[in-house]
Amino acid sequence: MIKGCAVVTGASRGIGAACAFKLAETGLPVVVNYSSRGSAALDTLEKIKENGGDGFIFKADVSKRDEVDAMMNEALKQYGRIDTLVNNAGVSQIKLFTDITPDDWRRMVSVNLDGVFNCCQSALPSMIHNKYGRIVNISSVWGVYGASCEVHYSAVKAGIIGLTKALAMEVAPSGITVNAVAPGCIMTDMLHEDCDEETIKQLAADSPVGRIGTPEDVAKAVAFLAGEASGFITGQVLGVDGGFK
């Protein structure tokens, strides 16, 4: 197989950046997508290049199809083919269900779910043409179990799981696998934005493995699903959650 490139959305920090680093280690050039944190995305790319990898940064709001198409077209222009897509970009919000506004709901759906749809549909022609592709969608443990005060977030993350399972069946004859990773509590900026330190300590204490996960824990799972060893695995949801139930 001739390797093309990997596109990682929301790769300026946290899980996305860790996925970009890990995929670059496998020899794939990486398109480091960002929406608002350009300097952080540049830091991600510089670290990749310092370690001998290649890639470029691209500003695109995944909820906007024209921006996504421009990003995929640039990836094809520079590397000829898109072999791996990691749909990581997302937003979160903690709110009582009765306080969620229509704008809150629409933003959650447009970024977290429409974004996955846009990126998959835009990247798939290259994968179908080459009869090869790896798509890994970042869902959440809350998409599996649901979370109080995060109904809209849980709903879109569950939607990603449904999209993953259905798309996997549709594109498998073209040599493309589609899987999801469902992280639990991961030590990211998003976790610190949503939880105070006491809550984070309690979450670690409640975890069967006794700690909060790291972005690298998730990235290792993503790299496996994006690699050759996972060629007979598709339509699956891999929990990276420390045993959360």
Side-chain angles (χ1 to χ4, degrees):
M1 181 199 68
I2 300 172
K3 287 186 177 180
C5 69
V7 177
V8 183
T9 68
S12 63
R13 61 176 183 164
I15 290 172
C19 290
F21 298 146
K22 187 60 65 175
L23 291 173
E25 288 176 0
T26 71
L28 281 171
V30 180
V31 179
V32 178
N33 163 256
Y34 72 99
S35 179
S36 60
R37 297 179 175 86
S39 61
L42 187 58
D43 288 343
T44 298
L45 180 62
E46 288 177 350
K47 184 173 179 181
I48 287 172
K49 291 189 172 182
E50 286 171 3
N51 291 330
D54 188 26
F56 64 89
I57 64 172
F58 199 98
K59 177 180 172 62
D61 180 341
V62 296
S63 70
K64 297 178 179 178
R65 182 54 179 268
D66 59 338
E67 295 185 15
V68 169
D69 286 344
M71 175 172 65
M72 299 302 176
N73 288 336
E74 186 62 26
L76 291 171
K77 178 181 177 181
Q78 295 206 28
Y79 299 113
R81 54 190 284 169
I82 299 167
D83 282 356
T84 301
L85 169 64
V86 179
N87 286 305
N88 168 74
V91 294
S92 68
Q93 185 182 48
I94 294 178
K95 240 183 186 184
L96 286 170
F97 179 72
T98 50
D99 291 337
I100 295 172
T101 67
D103 285 344
D104 291 334
W105 178 268
R106 176 38 46 197
R107 179 169 184 263
M108 191 68 66
V109 173
S110 66
V111 176
N112 291 27
L113 190 53
D114 293 353
V116 175
F117 166 80
N118 287 335
C119 291
C120 286
Q121 201 173 63
S122 188
L124 271 170
S126 170
M127 295 180 177
I128 292 170
H129 175 77
N130 291 298
K131 299 296 183 184
Y132 179 88
R134 296 284 189 267
I135 297 175
V136 185
N137 299 321
I138 306 300
S139 179
S140 168
V141 68
W142 304 132
V144 178
Y145 298 107
S148 173
C149 297
E150 293 186 75
V151 171
H152 49 345
Y153 181 78
S154 298
V156 294
K157 289 300 187 178
I160 289 172
I161 291 173
L163 184 154
T164 296
K165 289 179 176 292
L167 185 60
M169 296 178 69
E170 187 169 325
V171 299
S174 295
I176 301 162
T177 65
V178 188
N179 292 287
V181 172
C185 294
I186 306 298
M187 193 62 73
T188 62
D189 292 344
M190 187 178 287
L191 182 67
H192 283 288
E193 290 165 4
D194 291 342
C195 303
D196 58 30
E197 289 301 321
E198 196 60 38
T199 301
I200 292 174
K201 289 179 181 179
Q202 189 60 52
L203 289 169
D206 291 343
S207 170
V209 300
R211 67 174 176 88
I212 299 293
T214 67
E216 290 72 26
D217 290 324
V218 181
K220 290 173 184 176
V222 169
F224 167 70
L225 292 172
E228 288 302 299
S230 65
F232 199 58
I233 300 172
T234 195
Q236 303 304 306
V237 181
L238 177 57
V240 182
D241 55 22
F244 176 90
K245 297 295 181 189

PDB file of all heavy atoms in Angstrom, residues 1-15:
ATOM      1  N   MET A   1       0.833  -1.199   0.000  1.00  0.00           N
ATOM      2  CA  MET A   1       0.000   0.000   0.000  1.00  0.00           C
ATOM      3  C   MET A   1       0.870   1.253   0.000  1.00  0.00           C
ATOM      4  O   MET A   1       1.838   1.349   0.747  1.00  0.00           O
ATOM      5  CB  MET A   1      -0.891   0.018   1.254  1.00  0.00           C
ATOM      6  CG  MET A   1      -1.819   1.219   1.323  1.00  0.00           C
ATOM      7  SD  MET A   1      -2.418   1.514   2.995  1.00  0.00           S
ATOM      8  CE  MET A   1      -0.915   2.040   3.826  1.00  0.00           C
ATOM      9  N   ILE A   2       0.543   2.198  -0.873  1.00  0.00           N
ATOM     10  CA  ILE A   2       1.234   3.480  -0.894  1.00  0.00           C
ATOM     11  C   ILE A   2       0.541   4.417   0.077  1.00  0.00           C
ATOM     12  O   ILE A   2      -0.657   4.660  -0.037  1.00  0.00           O
ATOM     13  CB  ILE A   2       1.220   4.102  -2.304  1.00  0.00           C
ATOM     14  CG1 ILE A   2       1.920   3.163  -3.295  1.00  0.00           C
ATOM     15  CG2 ILE A   2       1.894   5.460  -2.305  1.00  0.00           C
ATOM     16  CD1 ILE A   2       1.781   3.599  -4.731  1.00  0.00           C
ATOM     17  N   LYS A   3       1.281   4.918   1.021  1.00  0.00           N
ATOM     18  CA  LYS A   3       0.673   5.783   2.019  1.00  0.00           C
ATOM     19  C   LYS A   3       0.433   7.180   1.461  1.00  0.00           C
ATOM     20  O   LYS A   3       1.273   7.740   0.767  1.00  0.00           O
ATOM     21  CB  LYS A   3       1.561   5.867   3.265  1.00  0.00           C
ATOM     22  CG  LYS A   3       1.560   4.604   4.109  1.00  0.00           C
ATOM     23  CD  LYS A   3       2.340   4.816   5.394  1.00  0.00           C
ATOM     24  CE  LYS A   3       2.276   3.579   6.280  1.00  0.00           C
ATOM     25  NZ  LYS A   3       3.027   3.767   7.534  1.00  0.00           N
ATOM     26  N   GLY A   4      -0.723   7.725   1.761  1.00  0.00           N
ATOM     27  CA  GLY A   4      -1.016   9.111   1.430  1.00  0.00           C
ATOM     28  C   GLY A   4      -0.802   9.950   2.659  1.00  0.00           C
ATOM     29  O   GLY A   4       0.298  10.007   3.199  1.00  0.00           O
ATOM     30  N   CYS A   5      -1.871  10.584   3.144  1.00  0.00           N
ATOM     31  CA  CYS A   5      -1.744  11.418   4.336  1.00  0.00           C
ATOM     32  C   CYS A   5      -2.890  11.148   5.288  1.00  0.00           C
ATOM     33  O   CYS A   5      -3.859  10.450   4.958  1.00  0.00           O
ATOM     34  CB  CYS A   5      -1.726  12.901   3.953  1.00  0.00           C
ATOM     35  SG  CYS A   5      -3.314  13.531   3.333  1.00  0.00           S
ATOM     36  N   ALA A   6      -2.761  11.691   6.476  1.00  0.00           N
ATOM     37  CA  ALA A   6      -3.820  11.634   7.479  1.00  0.00           C
ATOM     38  C   ALA A   6      -4.339  13.040   7.720  1.00  0.00           C
ATOM     39  O   ALA A   6      -3.557  13.993   7.784  1.00  0.00           O
ATOM     40  CB  ALA A   6      -3.289  11.053   8.790  1.00  0.00           C
ATOM     41  N   VAL A   7      -5.638  13.176   7.831  1.00  0.00           N
ATOM     42  CA  VAL A   7      -6.261  14.438   8.206  1.00  0.00           C
ATOM     43  C   VAL A   7      -6.827  14.274   9.609  1.00  0.00           C
ATOM     44  O   VAL A   7      -7.619  13.357   9.864  1.00  0.00           O
ATOM     45  CB  VAL A   7      -7.397  14.823   7.231  1.00  0.00           C
ATOM     46  CG1 VAL A   7      -8.081  16.104   7.692  1.00  0.00           C
ATOM     47  CG2 VAL A   7      -6.859  14.984   5.815  1.00  0.00           C
ATOM     48  N   VAL A   8      -6.399  15.129  10.522  1.00  0.00           N
ATOM     49  CA  VAL A   8      -6.871  15.075  11.908  1.00  0.00           C
ATOM     50  C   VAL A   8      -7.548  16.396  12.226  1.00  0.00           C
ATOM     51  O   VAL A   8      -6.898  17.455  12.213  1.00  0.00           O
ATOM     52  CB  VAL A   8      -5.721  14.822  12.900  1.00  0.00           C
ATOM     53  CG1 VAL A   8      -6.272  14.712  14.326  1.00  0.00           C
ATOM     54  CG2 VAL A   8      -4.952  13.555  12.528  1.00  0.00           C
ATOM     55  N   THR A   9      -8.839  16.365  12.512  1.00  0.00           N
ATOM     56  CA  THR A   9      -9.545  17.605  12.816  1.00  0.00           C
ATOM     57  C   THR A   9      -9.408  17.943  14.300  1.00  0.00           C
ATOM     58  O   THR A   9      -9.263  17.057  15.140  1.00  0.00           O
ATOM     59  CB  THR A   9     -11.038  17.511  12.443  1.00  0.00           C
ATOM     60  OG1 THR A   9     -11.712  16.572  13.301  1.00  0.00           O
ATOM     61  CG2 THR A   9     -11.204  17.088  10.987  1.00  0.00           C
ATOM     62  N   GLY A  10      -9.440  19.234  14.580  1.00  0.00           N
ATOM     63  CA  GLY A  10      -9.286  19.678  15.964  1.00  0.00           C
ATOM     64  C   GLY A  10      -7.964  19.242  16.550  1.00  0.00           C
ATOM     65  O   GLY A  10      -7.894  18.768  17.690  1.00  0.00           O
ATOM     66  N   ALA A  11      -6.883  19.421  15.774  1.00  0.00           N
ATOM     67  CA  ALA A  11      -5.585  18.861  16.160  1.00  0.00           C
ATOM     68  C   ALA A  11      -4.639  19.867  16.796  1.00  0.00           C
ATOM     69  O   ALA A  11      -3.448  19.615  16.904  1.00  0.00           O
ATOM     70  CB  ALA A  11      -4.915  18.236  14.945  1.00  0.00           C
ATOM     71  N   SER A  12      -5.167  20.993  17.246  1.00  0.00           N
ATOM     72  CA  SER A  12      -4.277  21.996  17.824  1.00  0.00           C
ATOM     73  C   SER A  12      -3.889  21.678  19.267  1.00  0.00           C
ATOM     74  O   SER A  12      -2.881  22.182  19.760  1.00  0.00           O
ATOM     75  CB  SER A  12      -4.937  23.383  17.772  1.00  0.00           C
ATOM     76  OG  SER A  12      -6.122  23.411  18.548  1.00  0.00           O
ATOM     77  N   ARG A  13      -4.669  20.835  19.922  1.00  0.00           N
ATOM     78  CA  ARG A  13      -4.380  20.541  21.335  1.00  0.00           C
ATOM     79  C   ARG A  13      -5.047  19.230  21.729  1.00  0.00           C
ATOM     80  O   ARG A  13      -5.798  18.621  20.965  1.00  0.00           O
ATOM     81  CB  ARG A  13      -4.892  21.670  22.234  1.00  0.00           C
ATOM     82  CG  ARG A  13      -6.404  21.880  22.136  1.00  0.00           C
ATOM     83  CD  ARG A  13      -6.907  22.935  23.103  1.00  0.00           C
ATOM     84  NE  ARG A  13      -8.363  23.073  23.037  1.00  0.00           N
ATOM     85  CZ  ARG A  13      -9.100  23.672  23.955  1.00  0.00           C
ATOM     86  NH1 ARG A  13      -8.529  24.191  25.036  1.00  0.00           N
ATOM     87  NH2 ARG A  13     -10.411  23.757  23.823  1.00  0.00           N
ATOM     88  N   GLY A  14      -4.771  18.796  22.954  1.00  0.00           N
ATOM     89  CA  GLY A  14      -5.472  17.660  23.548  1.00  0.00           C
ATOM     90  C   GLY A  14      -5.411  16.385  22.739  1.00  0.00           C
ATOM     91  O   GLY A  14      -4.363  15.994  22.210  1.00  0.00           O
ATOM     92  N   ILE A  15      -6.558  15.717  22.622  1.00  0.00           N
ATOM     93  CA  ILE A  15      -6.638  14.431  21.941  1.00  0.00           C
ATOM     94  C   ILE A  15      -6.231  14.561  20.479  1.00  0.00           C
ATOM     95  O   ILE A  15      -5.512  13.721  19.943  1.00  0.00           O
ATOM     96  CB  ILE A  15      -8.061  13.850  22.072  1.00  0.00           C
ATOM     97  CG1 ILE A  15      -8.321  13.421  23.528  1.00  0.00           C
ATOM     98  CG2 ILE A  15      -8.254  12.671  21.130  1.00  0.00           C
ATOM     99  CD1 ILE A  15      -9.757  13.018  23.809  1.00  0.00           C
TER     100      ILE A  15
END
